[in-house]
Each structure stands twice: as C-alpha cells, then as structure tokens.
Amino acid sequence: MAVSSRVLFLSFLSVLVSAVVGHGDKKFQNVTYDGRSLIINGKRELLFSGSIHYTRSTPEMWPDLISKAKHGGLNVIQTYVFWNIHEPVEGQYNFNGNYDLVKFIKLIGEQGMYVTLRVGPFIQAEWNHGGLPYWLREIPNIIFRSDNDPFKKHMKKYVKMIIDKMKEEKLFASQGGPIILTQIENEYNHIQLAYRDLGSRYVQWAANMAVGLKTEVPWIMCKQKDAPDPVINTCNGRHCGDTFTGPNKPYKPSLWTENWTAQYRVFGDPPSQRAAEDIAFSVARFFSKNGTLVNYYMYHGGTNFGRTSAVFTTTRYYDEAPIDEYGLQREPKWSHLKDLHKALNLCKKALLWGEPHVESLGKHTEAQVYENSGLRICAAFLANNNSRAAANVHFRGETYYLPPRSISILPDCKTVVYNTQTIVSQHNARNLKKSKVAKNLKWDMSPEPIPSVEQLPVDSRTPKELYGFLKDTTDYAWYTTSIELAPRDLPMRPDILPVLRVASLGHALHAFVNGEYVGSAHGSHDEKSFVFQSAVNFKSGVNHIALIGMTVGLPDSGAYMEHRFAGPRSVTVLGLNTGTLDLSINGWGHQVGLTGEKLKVFTQSGSHRVGWKNANGQGPALTWYKTYFEAPEGNNPVAIRMNGMGKGMVWVNGKSIGRYWVSFLSPLGKPSQSEYHIPRSFIKPTENLLIILEEEKGNPEDIELVLVNRDTICSFVTEYHPPHVKSWQRKDSKIRPVVDIVKPAAQLHCPNHKKIVAVEFASFGDPYGSCGSFFTGKCSASITKEVVEQHCLGKTSCSVPIERELFIKDNDACPDIKKTLAIQVKCE
C-alpha cells in the first residue's frame, strides 16, 4: 500500500472509532498513532510541547505560565511526576500546594491544551535523587532500575497509585481529560549495559507493566531504542533531526521529548546559552524529516525550592528557557519559536498528508519537500547546512537567499514565511531594580552553637557515612572528636603549625577547632570528593574538633545510585613533633542537622526560641541572620541579591527559597547565581520575616531586594529579513498575505499592557550589538530616532517598516550595504 493511501486508510479507521470532540468538553477521545503522527480523535496533529514542572513554580504562577505557553504556539505541556515529594515517607502521600499535580493538569486542560505525563518513576531532571525517595535506598537487597524484585514491587505500587489517581480525576484523554501521552522510565539506555541481562529484562517488564495499567493513551520511552511494542521510543537531545535514528518500528511516529533550550547549571558553572536561531533550526530540521512532536526542555525552568535540587545544581533552573525563572518571556527565544510554530502550522496539511522527498540544490544545500498533487498541497524546507557562508539557491524557477546554517520554510513551495536564522520578532533585556520600599534592612544575628564531644559523646569509632546518616532530612551533620596534646607534641618553632587534613567523599565541609572556625572546602558536580587542609593553632591539653559535613543535593543519574556515598572518610593531623596523627578511628560523636533547624528559627514562632543581637559587619561562620521587610512595590517578580554572603539557605515567612552559594565562583570569576527568586505568593503586605543561614563569614548589610522586569525591548531587522510570519495565512489551500504591503518591519510590543515611553537607541545603517548594548556603526541615518519616535512613542505596540526612503532623505552615506534597523525602547 502506498504511504499516502495507507495513511488515509488508518486515519479513516481512527475517525470511525473516535468521538470527534475537544478535551475541554469532557468527552472521550481516542489517541492512536501510526508512522506519520499521533492521531487524536481521528485527526492528525502537529504537536508543539513545552516542559513546565509544577514543583518548580507556585500554584499562583501556573495559570500565567500555561497561558504564555499557549500564546507561544504550544498545544502540549509536558511534566515529570516527582516520587520523592509525593511519597517522602513510605505510605505517606503529599499532593498539596505546589505539589498539587491534579490541579496543575486540570489548569492545562482548562486552557485547551494537552499533557504528556512523564511518570518515571526515575526522572533525573536535575532533581534530588532523580525523584526517587530516600527511603527506597534502605529497602533490603534493593537494586534501583533493574530486574530486582524489591525495586519492581515499589515501582509498580507507586506508578499504579499515580495512574489510578489520574483515572479517578478522569484526566486521561480516553476519559475526556488532557493527558495524551504517558512515559515510563527515563533515558535508561544510558545505563542499561551496566545491568546486563537484568537491564534488558527490566525494560521489558517496565513497558509491559505500564501498558497493563490500561490508560488507553500511548506510552513512550525516551532514549530507549529497544522500547517494546506498543511503547514508542523517542529522542532527547539538541539536534534530533540529525541524530535520531528513528522509531524502532515503521508504524511508530517520530517524537522528540527533550529539545534542550539551554543547559542546566551547577554551582561553579559559567552562564549557559543556546541561541534561539539554533533551536529554531533544529526544530525545522526535525519536522522536515517526518517529525510531528517536539518538546522544549525546559519551556519554563523555574526554581528548585528548599532542598529539591540534585547534587551541586543551582537553585535557578533553566533560566535561559523561553519563559525565564520569574515567569517572564525571554526574547527573542519565546517569539522566534512562536513564529516557527505558526510557520509549521501553515505547512500542517502537507506535513501530515504529503509525500516526502529530498532535492539537492547544490553543495551544502537541499530542499525537503512534502507534496500531494491530488490534494494540491506542497511545502518545502530549503536548508543551507554551511555554518559559515550564505547561499543563493534556485528552487522551482525562483532564487532564494539562505543565511548560513538556516532553513527557510515555504508552506506553498513558493513563499518564504520564515527563516530560522533571521529573527524578525523582538528582543528584550532583563532589568533588576532595587525596591524603593523593601530597603534599609535592619539585621539581627544568632550564631549556631558549635558542639564538642562533651555535647555529642562518641557513638562510633569512625565518622559515619553522610547519606545514610542524614537520610535526606537536612544538608548538615556534625562530627566531633577530641585529642589531648602535650607541650612536646606541638612544634617548637613559631613559624610552623600543625595541619588538619580531612579527606571527604563530598560534598562540602566546615571545620572548627576549640570552637573557632578554621576553614572550609568543597567538591564540585564533576568531582564530589575533596581534601580539606588548614594550619591550626592547637593548644596544649584537650583540643575539640568539630566538623560539619554537608550534602548539596543527592545524585540524580548513573547506575547503582543506591551505592553512592559521601562525607569524611579520613581525618589526620600533620606536623606534630610525634608525627602524623590519624584521627579516623579516634571515636566520633554525631548529630543530624543544626540546632537552629531543630528549633525552626526560620519560622515566626521558632525565631523567638533563640537570642538575637544586632548584626554589625562581618559575622562568624555558621550564623543565622534575621530581618523584616515590607512587600516590594508593584506586582513585578521579586528577587534577593545575596551581596556580601557566601553559602547557605534563605527562608521567607518560613518557606525556603532554596540554597544559595555565591562564594563558589565560575571560571569567569563570578558566582553562578547571585539573585534568588522570592515568589510573590510567599510575601505578605507587611512584616515579612527573612531568615538566612550563612555557613561562611558573611556580611548581610549589602543584601538587596530587587524587582525584576523585561521592560527593555528591542528589534534588530535587516533588509533581507523575510516579512513577519503573521503577514500570511492559508486560505483556499493557498498562502495569501493578510496585509496590503508585505515587507520586513521592526515589530515591538510592550508586556502587560505597558506603553513605550522612551526610544533609547535607534540606528538605520550598520549598527551592531545586542539588546541592552547596541552601538552605532560606521553609517547611520540621522533621523532614525525621530522616525521611530513618530511610529512608537505612547503606544503599546508598533511596527516600523524597513524602507530606505523613510530614513534617508538626502545622500546615503553607505548605499552599497544592506541596511539594518536596530531599536531599543523602554516600556512603563
């Protein structure tokens, strides 16, 4: 059977067995698939999806995030389900607050969008322990993610609980809900070989177990080449149009479950970037090669509140996504992808019903064409794969200009409506402005008690392993011991001091001798283990050593995660007259957590359980700080800038906004993260309690509360840019303009109904730079700013045509160059 006739036949069958209704009508929907696409209610769909994790934002933010995703051209939201927050204690479940999975899915459905539910239960996701609850490590004889009876027992129980909960709420498409896809496991191919036959059998078991739960929607496995029928294997990566070997059966569609919009960051990392042009190129490539679903991971990253981030992962998550950590659209990424979705939808009929073929247009250039002469449809993707040189190509009697490494989309095989490299949508820059209300903070301090063996008597010959000791209840554990030194044990020369050396498996450590701080050390994401060394002024007599061992999240990836370890493993004193002293088996006392944590000093009631005094300058290591602040003015997002601090945690009105670590510098000499998001829902109108636990020697005087906006918007458009994709529509099977004159133009639109109050930069000629830092080149039309002000001042949105006669009234100083129009305006 020919491809087109087979597709028509399968779709016809699907129509016969499906009720053709929207999921908002709460009626049954049939979700099937074939080798071309998913089929929902008998209808083929192009699906544009974005990952938004309910746990990484607040319920108050969810409606706006979902709405912005929808207006960005998405029709699917993808989320993981997080086992360790839903079942933190075996048999005790939590689906409240920002863990309310059901509410989140229902909100998506109310906005007419679909859901992909990634049940896991292992999810990685740079989430603490990869989503697996700590108590699972303590199940006898367990081996995670393998053909292991204890693991399979608990995994099946959890997955069934989640699926049953979705069924009870009628959230599957087969029940009229928004869930159209479900995922079991996650990128298992990465570690499968480590388990040999136990891994292969586990894949078969997991797939069969999931399908047996009868959700009546397709199941997927990402990065799983051997996903058994009927489970669909999908691609994760940056360039699945080039790297994906395809579905493992011809009757399965090509689905892309993770297109990474940047790269998650760990403490010590420099900024992570991925250009909007590169993302757009990868998506256009994938859809030109039979892809019909792409998911942006992440579309909104959000915040790792509390202790939820994985090992060394920053509190801010995928801030470079199309919607940033604060819920603001990052331009041009958000709009350039929105325009791409519009362009692909103009090709929808051809992509879903046309016959694909490839035409070579020359060296490094080609056309991917979808055509069906019977239906009179044709769409073409003209690609220039040369990353350095532009190309002029000839296609069906016309000449087309292709910038380096770009794809032009022609929904009718004639009209260019979009090019991946030429951004016609606006840009913006993020601004952080000090609050006028929440300022002049008055700080109090309360040092954490430093214990000794007198408070923590010896209970173990050696230091306890950190993961097993803490059981993921806190980041902190005390280790205490003591040594008695005679005067002759100590060096006799004043320029020589003994050295305390601690070899640790991770993640960080602070050391105190006789109650005094002597230093810190830490590992990194790539190398958790480290050695702490510091010269110490020991005294004659009994010396008390107190170490505070710390975790910075549990590991979230790799094989045999149940066999990872952390904490001090060897403690020695070097440089004594009597030689090196090994304290590893000296006898150690232990304590889980800090005294301040036990007293809950970060809450209003707990803050009264300790004594406070005025903070004046730099405080000692391991100190609690307290202040109150008024709600910052307006309704813009709020962040705290941790100037003068080192490492610790922050609470606002008893709610943790996560770990901070500004003393861990990137290779650029700057912190990986300096500002930390405080959701508006955490803030009261007045008397907001702000508590900081500073582990190092910090000074809170320069801490600032700032307001976040993206009110600086820009445009950077050239004469060779195509007109905006919204200039076109499909009518009567043809692509027709919806405006009188189809020309490139600078498009500007202020967020949140604000208006353009100032033109901060305008140049028509050869300007360069980026939004927030444009520069005039060698030639610029003198009246550019005046023209832009006439078109834009006082308006919420404006369009400035790219027309030479509009900007150049006399002689053109550089007539031989293609002109660029760069604009930067301020919205209020």
Side-chain angles (χ1 to χ4, degrees):
M1 186 181 293
V3 173
S4 58
S5 58
R6 176 176 64 85
V7 166
L8 284 165
F9 177 69
L10 287 171
S11 187
F12 176 68
L13 284 180
S14 183
V15 171
L16 289 178
V17 298
S18 303
V20 186
V21 296
H23 62 266
D25 296 328
K26 297 296 181 184
K27 295 182 180 179
F28 295 119
Q29 297 186 97
N30 188 34
V31 183
T32 59
Y33 63 80
D34 64 12
R36 180 58 66 88
S37 72
L38 291 180
I39 303 169
I40 304 174
N41 283 337
K43 183 180 178 182
R44 299 194 171 283
E45 294 287 357
L46 294 182
L47 297 169
F48 307 107
S49 173
S51 288
I52 299 176
H53 296 159
Y54 55 102
T55 56
R56 286 173 159 142
S57 55
T58 64
E60 291 78 10
M61 295 174 66
W62 294 344
D64 183 60
L65 293 173
I66 297 165
S67 176
K68 285 175 178 172
K70 182 176 182 178
H71 284 92
L74 302 191
N75 49 11
V76 184
I77 299 294
Q78 181 197 94
T79 185
Y80 281 120
V81 185
F82 300 76
W83 189 356
N84 55 4
I85 55 101
H86 290 309
E87 193 179 5
V89 178
E90 185 178 1
Q92 297 181 20
Y93 301 106
N94 180 8
F95 289 89
N96 300 317
N98 65 325
Y99 300 159
D100 193 342
L101 172 62
V102 168
K103 179 178 180 179
F104 181 67
I105 294 174
K106 286 183 176 180
L107 286 171
I108 297 169
E110 287 170 7
Q111 297 211 30
M113 301 179 73
Y114 298 118
V115 172
T116 297
L117 195 68
R118 307 178 84 182
V119 181
F122 171 81
I123 60 172
Q124 187 169 342
E126 294 72 56
W127 187 263
N128 192 43
H129 213 213
L132 301 178
Y134 179 83
W135 56 261
L136 207 61
R137 285 174 59 106
E138 301 193 332
I139 301 297
N141 303 315
I142 198 165
I143 301 175
F144 294 171
R145 306 176 70 197
S146 69
D147 186 23
N148 169 265
D149 287 339
F151 181 74
K152 291 193 298 182
K153 170 188 171 184
H154 289 281
M155 173 176 167
K156 182 176 181 179
K157 179 182 176 184
Y158 166 75
V159 172
K160 186 177 184 302
M161 181 271 293
I162 293 296
I163 296 301
D164 286 346
K165 193 172 190 67
M166 300 300 101
K167 287 181 177 179
E168 289 169 9
E169 299 289 341
K170 301 189 185 308
L171 295 178
F172 288 107
S174 54
Q175 302 171 293
I179 301 174
I180 59 169
L181 283 174
T182 41
Q183 178 180 304
I184 195 71
E185 247 300 330
N186 192 72
E187 296 186 340
Y188 190 67
N189 262 160
H190 283 322
I191 64 167
Q192 185 171 337
L193 289 178
Y195 297 97
R196 304 194 180 192
D197 290 343
L198 293 178
S200 299
R201 293 202 299 268
Y202 169 68
V203 170
Q204 298 292 322
W205 172 85
N208 292 331
M209 180 269 292
V211 173
L213 295 174
K214 300 188 183 304
T215 61
E216 308 302 330
V217 301
W219 283 88
I220 59 175
M221 280 182 157
C222 64
K223 277 193 173 181
Q224 194 63 47
K225 293 181 180 179
D226 58 346
D229 283 355
V231 178
I232 306 167
N233 62 300
T234 68
C235 185
N236 289 358
R238 288 192 174 211
H239 298 287
C240 283
D242 295 315
T243 61
F244 188 38
T245 56
N248 58 22
K249 295 291 173 60
Y251 44 80
K252 296 179 182 179
S254 291
L255 310 179
W256 190 354
T257 37
E258 288 188 18
N259 184 357
W260 304 321
T261 54
Q263 179 66 36
Y264 75 91
R265 295 171 68 186
V266 298
F267 288 113
D269 270 355
S272 166
Q273 303 289 331
R274 188 183 179 195
E277 298 95 323
D278 185 57
I279 302 173
F281 180 90
S282 71
V283 175
R285 171 83 84 192
F286 185 68
F287 277 79
S288 77
K289 293 186 174 183
N290 208 38
T292 52
L293 179 151
V294 64
N295 177 75
Y296 301 105
Y297 191 97
M298 300 289 294
Y299 199 74
H300 164 72
T303 306
N304 291 313
F305 299 114
R307 301 175 49 257
T308 58
S309 63
V311 59
F312 284 92
T313 304
T314 56
T315 300
R316 171 179 292 161
Y317 189 62
Y318 270 90
D319 181 47
E320 296 81 5
I323 301 176
D324 71 13
E325 179 186 16
Y326 304 99
L328 305 175
Q329 287 122 305
R330 177 180 291 277
E331 303 285 17
K333 197 169 281 187
W334 185 85
S335 288
H336 194 46
L337 296 178
K338 175 182 179 177
D339 295 345
L340 172 62
H341 306 148
K342 170 73 171 176
L344 290 170
N345 274 321
L346 289 173
C347 305
K348 183 175 181 178
K349 195 171 182 180
L351 286 172
L352 295 175
W353 300 100
E355 294 278 4
H357 68 273
V358 183
E359 300 177 19
S360 176
L361 303 178
K363 187 178 181 180
H364 303 305
T365 57
E366 65 183 6
Q368 297 274 352
V369 182
Y370 286 79
E371 197 165 15
N372 187 315
S373 56
L375 296 175
R376 294 191 302 169
I377 52 177
C378 184
F381 296 77
L382 308 186
N384 178 7
N385 298 316
N386 190 322
S387 60
R388 296 185 178 181
N392 287 298
V393 299
H394 301 284
F395 177 69
R396 301 197 176 184
E398 299 288 341
T399 300
Y400 297 91
Y401 171 76
L402 298 176
R405 197 172 181 275
S406 72
I407 296 175
S408 284
I409 299 177
L410 290 63
D412 57 357
C413 287
K414 293 187 297 184
T415 308
V416 175
V417 301
Y418 182 89
N419 178 271
T420 58
Q421 189 65 27
T422 53
I423 297 176
V424 299
S425 56
Q426 71 180 22
H427 305 233
N428 66 22
R430 187 162 67 193
N431 307 300
L432 289 91
K433 184 178 180 182
K434 289 177 62 174
S435 171
K436 297 177 182 178
V437 173
K439 62 179 183 177
N440 300 324
L441 303 176
K442 306 298 181 185
W443 292 95
D444 293 330
M445 59 184 288
S446 179
E448 172 74 16
I450 310 301
S452 69
V453 288
E454 295 173 353
Q455 290 84 40
L456 303 179
V458 172
D459 59 9
S460 174
R461 187 183 183 200
T462 59
K464 294 182 179 180
E465 192 278 319
L466 194 55
Y467 288 159
F469 183 46
L470 295 180
K471 303 186 189 304
D472 197 28
T473 58
T474 173
D475 280 2
Y476 307 103
W478 281 111
Y479 298 81
T480 61
T481 193
S482 63
I483 54 171
E484 186 170 358
L485 299 174
R488 289 188 174 274
D489 293 326
L490 300 171
M492 306 305 289
R493 289 170 49 182
D495 60 330
I496 296 177
L497 290 175
V499 171
L500 176 65
R501 175 184 289 172
V502 183
S504 175
L505 295 174
H507 301 155
L509 175 143
H510 302 313
F512 299 81
V513 175
N514 297 322
E516 296 295 323
Y517 175 71
V518 296
S520 302
H522 60 81
S524 66
H525 179 266
D526 293 336
E527 185 54 66
K528 280 76 174 174
S529 60
F530 62 92
V531 176
F532 165 81
Q533 296 185 106
S534 179
V536 176
N537 191 10
F538 285 109
K539 65 181 181 180
S540 176
V542 176
N543 291 267
H544 294 285
I545 298 174
L547 308 176
I548 184 163
M550 290 170 286
T551 59
V552 189
L554 297 185
D556 68 328
S557 62
Y560 299 104
M561 281 174 51
E562 68 279 1
H563 296 306
R564 309 289 179 82
F565 305 105
R569 61 178 177 84
S570 126
V571 183
T572 54
V573 178
L574 293 75
L576 297 173
N577 288 338
T578 48
T580 298
L581 183 62
D582 188 354
L583 302 181
S584 306
I585 56 173
N586 194 52
W588 291 82
H590 298 83
Q591 176 181 296
V592 173
L594 303 178
T595 300
E597 288 182 293
K598 291 181 172 62
L599 297 175
K600 296 187 177 181
V601 299
F602 46 83
T603 65
Q604 186 63 49
S605 58
S607 66
H608 297 295
R609 296 172 186 150
V610 298
W612 300 89
K613 62 180 181 180
N614 290 338
N616 185 15
Q618 188 180 71
L622 215 58
T623 295
W624 297 86
Y625 292 96
K626 177 184 74 169
T627 191
Y628 289 89
F629 67 93
E630 302 300 294
E633 64 275 18
N635 56 12
N636 282 336
V638 178
I640 183 170
R641 183 178 278 151
M642 300 300 291
N643 299 330
M645 306 304 277
K647 177 181 183 294
M649 300 188 77
V650 181
W651 291 262
V652 175
N653 294 321
K655 297 181 179 180
S656 173
I657 66 169
R659 303 180 180 99
Y660 71 89
W661 200 347
V662 293
S663 62
F664 194 164
L665 304 182
S666 77
L668 304 179
K670 296 181 179 180
S672 298
Q673 182 177 349
S674 298
E675 297 85 26
Y676 294 79
H677 181 208
I678 304 175
R680 278 281 182 179
S681 59
F682 286 15
I683 300 174
K684 304 182 298 183
T686 60
E687 289 290 301
N688 291 281
L689 175 65
L690 173 58
I691 297 288
I692 295 174
L693 169 63
E694 171 57 48
E695 300 170 16
E696 302 171 3
K697 293 182 178 180
N699 183 352
E701 291 177 358
D702 294 328
I703 289 176
E704 297 172 339
L705 289 163
V706 296
L707 295 165
V708 186
N709 70 60
R710 287 187 176 272
D711 291 343
T712 299
I713 61 173
C714 307
S715 181
F716 191 86
V717 181
T718 69
E719 290 180 301
Y720 65 77
H721 276 53
H724 197 282
V725 66
K726 67 182 181 183
S727 304
W728 308 96
Q729 68 176 1
R730 180 175 290 281
K731 188 175 182 181
D732 300 328
S733 298
K734 294 184 179 181
I735 299 299
R736 302 179 185 275
V738 295
V739 292
D740 294 334
I741 302 176
V742 180
K743 288 185 176 181
Q747 309 281 347
L748 297 167
H749 182 81
C750 286
N752 302 321
H753 310 291
K754 297 177 183 179
K755 293 185 178 181
I756 297 171
V757 296
V759 177
E760 298 177 330
F761 181 91
S763 174
F764 183 76
D766 60 346
Y768 62 97
S770 59
C771 193
S773 58
F774 282 130
F775 300 94
T776 302
K778 294 180 180 179
C779 70
S780 179
S782 60
I783 64 171
T784 306
K785 185 174 182 181
E786 179 183 339
V787 171
V788 174
E789 287 176 340
Q790 291 172 354
H791 279 79
C792 298
L793 275 183
K795 298 178 181 178
T796 297
S797 61
C798 65
S799 178
V800 184
I802 310 296
E803 298 175 353
R804 292 197 180 201
E805 58 271 22
L806 187 62
F807 297 95
I808 301 171
K809 301 299 183 183
D810 299 315
N811 292 330
D812 188 344
C814 42
D816 297 329
I817 68 167
K818 285 283 187 180
K819 299 294 193 294
T820 297
L821 175 61
I823 302 172
Q824 178 175 311
V825 302
K826 179 182 179 182
C827 299
E828 275 189 5

